[in-house]
Every structure is written in structure tokens, then in C-alpha cells.
Amino acid sequence: MDEGVFGRAAQERAIAEVEVEIARLCELLAEGLAMGLDEGREMVGGAMSEFLLEFFDLVRAKGSRPGMRGMITLPMMVHGAETGEPGPAAPIAVVHLLWWASARYLDDLTDAPGAPGADAGPKVLTALAVGSHLPARLLAGLPVPAATRAALGEELSRGWLDAVDGQLRDLTCRAAAATPQSVLHSYAGKTGAPYAMAAAAAACLAGADRDRVARWRAFGRSLGVLRQLVNDQRDLASGRHEDLANGTATYLLVQLLSALPAGRRREALALHAAARHSAAARAELTAWMLDDEVIDAYAASVAPLIERAHGLIDELGGEPGCVRELHGLVDETVGHMPRFRLAVA
């Protein structure tokens, strides 16, 4: 079967090339030679190099490479859909990974119980450099017209602001006051925004007009929301229960709460409050959330989000092989939901 311009073999080669580029970047940073980090900046370069190496060690240790694969291939598929050539979007894939390396650390820091450790201050500064200033320098150094460079910088800035907005909503949201719509709004920022940035930046780099860039941004955001839903459910199915321990109002929890009668809702909210400190409460509430009827209702509510992602791809069109792979990326994403039964018409 013809895999097209960006079939699985081509994707694996592209991922390997991006990983090599990241390794090369780490070496240059360690020597103070990357993107204007000249004499006198060895400290920040070395810190960023060490930070990135730790991130990729963690990815390997957690078995998170399938998720990283999607981060890399998304912008390349978008560029390929627009031009037939995925390869030129490799720098956007690097930027996307840098963003997530930074965000992963900052997110873990906000979720950690108690006061931050002694190394938190330097690492926060390094995370900000890795996720914002390093990508900005990478984009500024691309050999593209000034207007394209400005548009890429705008997408990076937009992605950061939208993601911070979503993360703040997530951190301040209380389960008793949350609605399914308010949770999806926060997800569209905290996880949707970086995927939106990656897709829109790739479209900008491909020379797409403003309307197509906006629609690619919407697709990336939809994909990011689906990725967050996967993360939520895997957290429960794995037994980690980090969201319950952090008191997070996830979409699945709020879907459950919205369907319960008043008395049972009060019981569920009491369990949610206790779950921050009680393994038994976490286990009991998890059983509620993974009940077959609850999961079926959840699947039905997620189905329109999946259909929207596929619909956006069909509306945008482009190089057939890359369009097919984008549909596959959506299906692969939702296929990682444990105990998830597709309810798409």
C-alpha cells in the first residue's frame, strides 16, 4: 500500500531527525553556542541543556514516547497537507517539544504538595527560558520573510497566553461550581493552546492565508482537548489518581456530577473533598467515575468533539496522504482512552 508523502515509515524518520536536532541543540546550549548564547551566557545555556536532557529521560522512563510522537508529527502533517512537503515544519516540531518540556515541569510544580524544594527557583527560571525565549530565538533565526517570522512569533505568544489562561482556570475551578462547558473551556487553553500553536505555526510557515491558519489553529485546539481527555482517563485507569489527589475538576468528574440527583451529588462532592488526603475515598470515587453507565454517557458527550476534529480536517483538505494521516492521528489519540467505547454515529 502506498503510504503517501508522510506515511508511518516517513514519520519515524522525521521523529528520529527531530530527536537528533534536539540532541544537537543540547550540545550547543551546553557550550553556550546556540542562538546567540555567546560568552558570558554559559550558565543559562548549560541549565537549559540539562533541563532538556532530564525531560527526555523522563519521557523514556514514563513510556510517553507515543505522546511525543504526536507532538512532533502534528505540525509536519499540517505543513504537508498545505504543501505536500512535511519536512520544512521540523523547526515547529522542535518548538512544540520545547514548549511541553517547560510546561511539564511548571505543571508538576503547581500540582506538588507542600512548599517547592530548594531547586525550584533555578528550575522555574530555566523552564521559562526553555519554553518561551529559546523557541522565540529559534523562530527568529528561520530563513523566512519578515511577515512570516512575525506571524510565527504571534502564534507562540498567543499559545502561551491562552495556555496560561486555561491553566489558571483549571487551578481555580472548584468541582461544585464547574460545568462540562467550563471544564472544556479550560482544556482548550491548558492543553489545546500548544497544539493550536503548533498547527497554526506550521500553516503560517507553509504560506497559508489567515483563514486557513485560523482553521488549522482550531483543529490543533480540538486535538489538544482530546489529548487532555485521554490524560484524565489514563490517570484514573492507571491507579495514579493524581487529579483526585490534587482536587482537579476533570471533565469526567463534572460529567458525573451533572448527571447525579442532589443527594448523590453531595456524596460525590464529599468524596472528592476527602480524596485529596484519602486513598480509600479516591478508590471509591474512581469506581463511580468508571461505572459502565457513566463511561457510556461520557463517550456520548465526547463523540461530538471527535467528530468536530475530523470535520475540520475534511473542511481544510489538502495533500491526500497527509489528510489521511491527520485523521489517523485523531483516531490514534482517542484510541488511547482506557475503557473508552466510541459512540460516534
Side-chain angles (χ1 to χ4, degrees):
M1 176 181 174
D2 180 12
E3 287 196 329
V5 300
F6 205 50
R8 288 306 163 115
Q11 289 175 38
E12 289 302 322
R13 287 194 299 271
I15 291 167
E17 289 168 4
V18 168
E19 290 175 337
V20 168
E21 182 60 26
I22 291 281
R24 188 182 73 86
L25 176 60
C26 287
E27 291 178 2
L28 292 173
L29 287 169
E31 297 170 7
L33 299 176
M35 285 170 269
L37 297 176
D38 47 22
E39 186 177 357
R41 293 178 176 172
E42 295 87 353
M43 180 69 77
V44 66
M48 287 191 287
S49 177
E50 183 178 341
F51 185 94
L52 287 169
L53 291 172
E54 287 180 3
F55 170 71
F56 289 107
D57 284 345
L58 184 65
V59 166
R60 285 187 287 271
K62 284 191 169 184
S64 301
R65 197 169 184 276
M68 193 175 76
R69 181 179 180 277
M71 295 174 194
I72 294 172
T73 57
L74 169 63
M76 302 180 84
M77 288 176 184
V78 171
H79 196 280
E82 287 290 322
T83 68
E85 294 289 339
I92 307 302
V94 172
V95 166
H96 198 200
L97 286 180
L98 294 176
W99 195 97
W100 279 108
S102 172
R104 190 279 313 168
Y105 176 76
L106 295 173
D107 186 55
D108 286 354
L109 189 65
T110 58
D111 288 342
D119 66 340
K123 280 203 168 181
V124 167
L125 293 175
T126 305
L128 294 174
V130 165
S132 57
H133 299 288
L134 196 53
R137 283 183 171 270
L138 180 61
L139 295 177
L142 291 178
V144 297
T148 302
R149 194 175 300 114
L152 293 173
E154 168 65 18
E155 293 301 335
L156 180 63
S157 175
R158 183 203 305 271
W160 263 107
L161 290 174
D162 287 350
V164 171
D165 181 89
Q167 189 67 53
L168 289 172
R169 290 175 187 275
D170 183 72
L171 290 170
T172 58
C173 179
R174 296 293 174 263
T179 66
Q181 293 73 28
S182 71
V183 175
L184 288 179
H185 190 179
S186 73
Y187 284 9
K190 64 177 281 187
T191 312
Y195 284 91
M197 178 272 293
C204 286
L205 195 62
D209 61 37
R210 292 176 64 89
D211 175 67
R212 288 187 67 80
V213 169
R215 286 190 285 161
W216 280 120
R217 189 185 302 120
F219 167 70
R221 185 174 294 112
S222 293
L223 181 65
V225 169
L226 293 175
R227 292 294 293 266
Q228 183 59 55
L229 293 170
V230 170
N231 291 343
D232 291 351
Q233 202 170 345
R234 289 180 71 183
D235 179 59
L236 284 179
S238 69
R240 291 193 303 267
H241 299 164
E242 292 174 357
D243 289 328
L244 291 176
N246 293 327
T248 304
T250 64
Y251 184 71
L252 178 54
L253 172 70
V254 175
Q255 278 286 123
L256 167 67
L257 292 173
S258 68
L260 292 175
R264 290 283 282 171
R265 175 182 164 86
R266 285 192 293 272
E267 289 181 49
L269 286 170
L271 278 174
H272 189 244
R276 301 198 71 156
H277 310 289
S278 167
R282 290 194 289 272
E284 185 174 351
L285 187 52
T286 295
W288 286 34
M289 295 167 71
L290 294 181
D291 176 81
D292 285 345
E293 289 187 9
V294 174
I295 290 293
D296 284 342
Y298 172 74
S301 73
V302 171
L305 306 180
I306 300 170
E307 291 169 353
R308 171 170 166 74
H310 282 300
L312 285 166
I313 297 169
D314 287 333
E315 289 173 15
L316 282 155
E319 197 282 324
C322 287
V323 168
R324 183 176 63 246
E325 292 299 332
L326 283 162
H327 280 299
L329 181 58
V330 173
D331 289 337
E332 182 181 2
T333 296
V334 298
H336 289 310
M337 288 185 178
R339 298 188 60 184
F340 185 79
R341 291 177 289 280
L342 290 177
V344 181

